[in-house]
Amino acid sequence: MVSSPPPSGIYVPVPTFFASQSASNYDPVNNPLDLETQTKHSLFLVKAGIRGLVILGSTGEAIHLTNEERNELISSQRKELDKAGYKDRPIIAGTATQNVQETLIQLEDAKKAGAEYGMVLTPGYFASAASQQGIEKWFTAVADKSPIPIMIYHYPGVTNNIVVAPSTFERLAQHANIVGCKLSHGDIPDHTLIASNPRIDPSHFKVFSGLGQNLLPVLTIGGQGAIDGLAGIFPRVVVKLFNMFQEGADNKKLRELQYKICEGERLIGRWGTVGIKEAIARCWGMGDKEGARLPLQGGFQGGDQEWSNWSSVFEGLKQLELEIEKSG
């Protein structure tokens, strides 16, 4: 049986929220989950038009969580989305393991917790020695036994710069249980060689950019959306660009909005999940801007002074977000 891919659109790799420093259960070494804030943020996103959530990706600090915490996080958000009337918003659960069996265990657990898809990070520990054949066999072994459809997560920045060649994607895209990919790199030619490949069926295998700054060019070459960190702060802004493209908006307007998104994405590129949490806390009052787990704990270096370097851009994006919300 051939699995169906997630719907096209904008997804958010959500950060994992931990107890604030003022909370009674705060622990500087092993800070517990803050599911109340997690739910508040999830609902903020789906109400703004986000198509689904990626939980336990790189932004979600998956490598910092126990399997028990992983399951609690997924199940709590599936329950809260369903309760709020968003059963149609899929949860994509990330994995970041190095061996096939542990990956399958996490995918089994994710299904039980309520995830509809798995986003499987390329195993990069032996990046310098791994062959394209080995990578293909690894993903095939996972897909053969995964209880939920999987997407290939290609993020060289956290996998020792391992390369998954477009030709490898072409072969893996034929697998009935591999339904797409997230490409978290800026190589537009590689995006094109996958998204525009006539031998890859876009109704079965969807290409999502992991970088909102690439959204417009990726859409023009056949990509079907983004799994984007800035959308976790300004969801309506990023969704608007996707919708404008689908509606055939004027190129000048598309470029203007893409430019504004690129300005905001610079903070994500500089600070990653730490910057995303900082911005969510400062812009919307959700979570603790220093609420990551060690060794990321402490927020971005420079505090208010560093934020002043970004504040004008983010104030502008916040105003745009509110304007889009007001206009409906």
Side-chain angles (χ1 to χ4, degrees):
M1 180 178 177
V2 177
S3 299
S4 298
S8 302
I10 303 300
Y11 292 73
V12 169
V14 294
T16 297
F17 291 93
F18 302 105
S20 68
Q21 294 186 33
S22 61
S24 59
N25 62 341
Y26 174 75
D27 181 344
V29 175
N30 192 38
N31 206 8
L33 300 174
D34 178 0
L35 296 179
E36 182 178 350
T37 300
Q38 196 79 44
T39 298
K40 184 177 180 181
H41 185 244
S42 293
L43 295 179
F44 166 73
L45 297 176
V46 295
K47 289 176 181 177
I50 292 300
R51 196 63 195 83
L53 305 180
V54 175
I55 297 178
L56 300 165
S58 303
T59 300
E61 298 180 67
I63 58 171
H64 294 165
L65 272 64
T66 66
N67 283 343
E68 182 180 0
E69 288 172 328
R70 289 173 56 88
N71 300 335
E72 184 181 11
L73 194 61
I74 295 169
S75 62
S76 70
Q77 297 313 291
R78 183 71 273 163
K79 177 182 176 182
E80 295 296 339
L81 289 177
D82 291 354
K83 187 168 70 173
Y86 294 101
K87 292 183 179 181
D88 64 333
R89 308 303 169 95
I91 288 178
I92 303 171
T95 72
T97 61
Q98 298 295 308
N99 67 77
V100 170
Q101 194 57 36
E102 188 176 0
T103 303
L104 288 170
I105 290 170
Q106 290 193 357
L107 290 168
E108 289 275 2
D109 288 346
K111 180 183 179 181
K112 292 175 184 176
E116 287 83 4
Y117 298 92
M119 190 177 76
V120 180
L121 185 67
T122 307
Y125 188 88
F126 289 111
S128 62
S131 65
Q132 293 301 301
Q133 183 182 40
I135 293 168
E136 181 181 347
K137 287 183 176 180
W138 191 94
F139 274 108
T140 299
V142 171
D144 283 347
K145 295 185 177 181
S146 175
I148 51 179
I150 69 167
M151 301 172 65
I152 300 167
Y153 182 17
H154 186 21
Y155 186 4
V158 297
T159 55
N160 285 327
N161 290 313
I162 196 168
V163 172
V164 183
S167 57
T168 302
F169 276 103
E170 179 184 322
R171 292 189 295 273
L172 288 171
Q174 312 310 315
H175 196 291
N177 207 30
I178 301 179
V179 295
C181 63
K182 176 187 178 184
L183 303 179
S184 290
H185 56 68
D187 192 332
I188 296 299
D190 268 21
H191 280 74
T192 306
L193 290 170
I194 302 167
S196 297
N197 188 330
R199 292 174 294 279
I200 294 178
D201 179 2
S203 68
H204 168 66
F205 186 91
K206 295 191 176 183
V207 176
F208 294 88
S209 175
L211 303 173
Q213 56 267 52
N214 286 350
L215 178 56
L216 181 56
V218 167
L219 290 174
T220 65
I221 50 87
Q224 299 189 41
I227 301 172
D228 174 52
L230 189 71
I233 311 164
F234 305 113
R236 289 179 177 85
V237 173
V238 183
V239 169
K240 184 174 179 65
L241 178 57
F242 177 83
N243 289 342
M244 286 173 61
F245 180 85
Q246 301 303 316
E247 295 161 3
D250 176 75
N251 282 336
K252 184 174 185 293
K253 292 181 179 179
L254 290 170
R255 293 196 302 269
E256 287 173 350
L257 185 52
Q258 179 68 85
Y259 178 84
K260 292 177 182 179
I261 289 171
C262 283
E263 285 189 306
E265 295 282 1
R266 292 177 63 214
L267 179 141
I268 313 300
R270 172 66 181 88
W271 291 104
T273 186
V274 171
I276 292 171
K277 285 189 171 183
E278 183 105 20
I280 292 171
R282 288 182 181 267
C283 292
W284 306 113
M286 283 185 274
D288 187 335
K289 63 179 182 291
E290 298 184 359
R293 274 189 175 169
L294 294 172
L296 301 182
Q297 195 178 63
F300 55 44
Q301 299 170 20
D304 291 343
Q305 179 59 46
E306 173 65 8
W307 178 250
S308 69
N309 296 328
W310 309 96
S311 58
S312 62
V313 168
F314 275 71
E315 286 167 6
L317 286 167
K318 182 177 180 179
Q319 183 61 38
L320 179 57
E321 180 80 14
L322 294 172
E323 289 173 2
I324 296 170
E325 180 182 19
K326 185 177 180 180
S327 69

